[in-house]
């Protein structure tokens, strides 16, 4: 697929490298593409990236994501799959910028003709593309209102190393609240472990 990643930070670069290794055509989108050379990945402006992509990924800070998407415009995003991995956190990582909703919901509401799927926001960028680096299986969640968009996202997750057995569809886009609010617990766990390379696993009751 042609995948456009909005953002050029650690998350966008990691995902781009993972999907490129799986054979996808990736392009990073930046407001200042001429200032983002030397990343080892192709970079273009936001509009060009959106036009290029069959699937877009929002890997921008959650505090600016909706405004940045508005700068691209609804017509350019209509009908596209938008995989949202952003979370809006305060500068000191202690508060969410959207405490009563989720960024995924805000994007879906602002762009009703776009299929938004929330995923990959419960882990560090290094784990997103290296599920097998963890000591055992773990879970990646999907939230979204469009079943086909979630199926496509699931295939792209598999290409990053997340088998279907690790993927858990938790429902519509409103369930993105739980994914994003985990960010506060993530920061606490990271502090307790002294490391960010971990993930969570949903463990069910043993049969019988």
């Amino acid at each position: 697929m042609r995948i456009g990643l909005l953002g050029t930070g650690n998350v966008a670069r990691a995902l781009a490298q993972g999907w490129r290794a799986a054979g996808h055509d990736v392009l990073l989108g930046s407001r200042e593409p001429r200032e983002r050379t030397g990343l080892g990945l192709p970079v273009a402006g936001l509009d060009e990236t959106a036009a290029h992509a069959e699937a877009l990924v929002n890997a921008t800070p959650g505090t600016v994501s909706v405004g940045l998407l508005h700068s691209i415009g609804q017509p350019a995003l209509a009908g596209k799959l938008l995989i949202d991995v952003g979370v809006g956190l305060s500068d000191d990582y202690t508060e969410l910028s959207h405490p009563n909703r989720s960024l995924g919901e805000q994007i879906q509401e602002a762009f009703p003709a776009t299929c938004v799927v929330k995923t990959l926001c419960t882990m560090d960028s290094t784990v997103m593309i290296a599920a097998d680096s963890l000591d055992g299986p773990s879970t990646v969640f999907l939230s979204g209102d469009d079943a086909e968009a979630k199926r496509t996202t699931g295939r792209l997750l598999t290409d990053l190393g997340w088998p279907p057995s690790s993927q858990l569809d938790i429902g519509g886009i409103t369930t993105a609240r739980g994914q994003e609010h985990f960010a506060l617990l993530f920061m606490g766990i990271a502090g307790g472990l002294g490391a960010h390379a971990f993930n969570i696993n949903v463990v069910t009751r043993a049969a019988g």
Side-chain angles (χ1 to χ4, degrees):
M1 290 186 73
R2 298 187 307 276
I3 303 175
L5 298 104
L6 303 176
T8 56
N10 292 338
V11 171
R13 296 199 307 272
L15 291 174
Q17 289 165 351
W19 277 317
R20 184 167 69 171
H24 295 285
D25 177 0
V26 301
L27 182 63
L28 297 178
S30 171
R31 285 174 170 163
E32 302 292 341
R34 294 180 181 178
E35 298 178 8
R36 302 300 289 163
T37 58
L39 298 179
L41 293 160
V43 184
L46 300 176
D47 291 344
E48 182 181 344
T49 301
H52 167 86
E54 296 171 275
L56 273 173
V57 180
N58 174 45
T60 63
T63 51
V64 303
S65 296
V66 174
L68 181 142
L69 290 167
H70 273 303
S71 74
I72 298 172
Q74 290 203 26
L77 300 178
K80 288 189 184 287
L81 164 61
L82 176 64
I83 300 171
D84 176 34
V85 302
V87 177
L89 282 168
S90 60
D91 291 340
D92 62 0
Y93 302 107
T94 62
E95 296 181 8
L96 291 170
S97 62
H98 40 273
N100 298 315
R101 298 195 72 198
S102 67
L103 174 62
E105 289 174 277
Q106 292 174 344
I107 294 173
Q108 186 64 87
E109 182 178 295
F111 300 90
T114 302
C115 299
V116 180
V117 178
K118 190 81 189 189
T119 191
L120 287 171
C121 69
T122 57
M123 65 192 77
D124 183 72
S125 61
T126 59
V127 175
M128 292 177 184
I129 60 169
D132 59 357
S133 68
L134 301 176
D135 186 18
S138 61
T139 305
V140 60
F141 304 97
L142 297 96
S143 301
D145 295 333
D146 186 277
E148 181 57 33
K150 284 194 281 191
R151 281 192 289 269
T152 301
T153 302
R155 290 192 292 269
L156 291 174
L157 290 173
T158 299
D159 289 342
L160 290 177
W162 296 95
S165 59
S166 291
Q167 300 175 26
L168 183 59
D169 182 345
I170 58 174
I173 195 63
T174 56
T175 66
R177 298 179 193 184
Q179 291 199 55
E180 295 182 29
H181 282 59
F182 177 75
L184 300 179
L185 181 56
F186 178 94
M187 296 309 300
I189 295 171
L193 292 176
H196 291 83
F198 63 89
N199 193 30
I200 55 176
N201 189 31
V202 175
V203 181
T204 59
R205 185 187 296 271

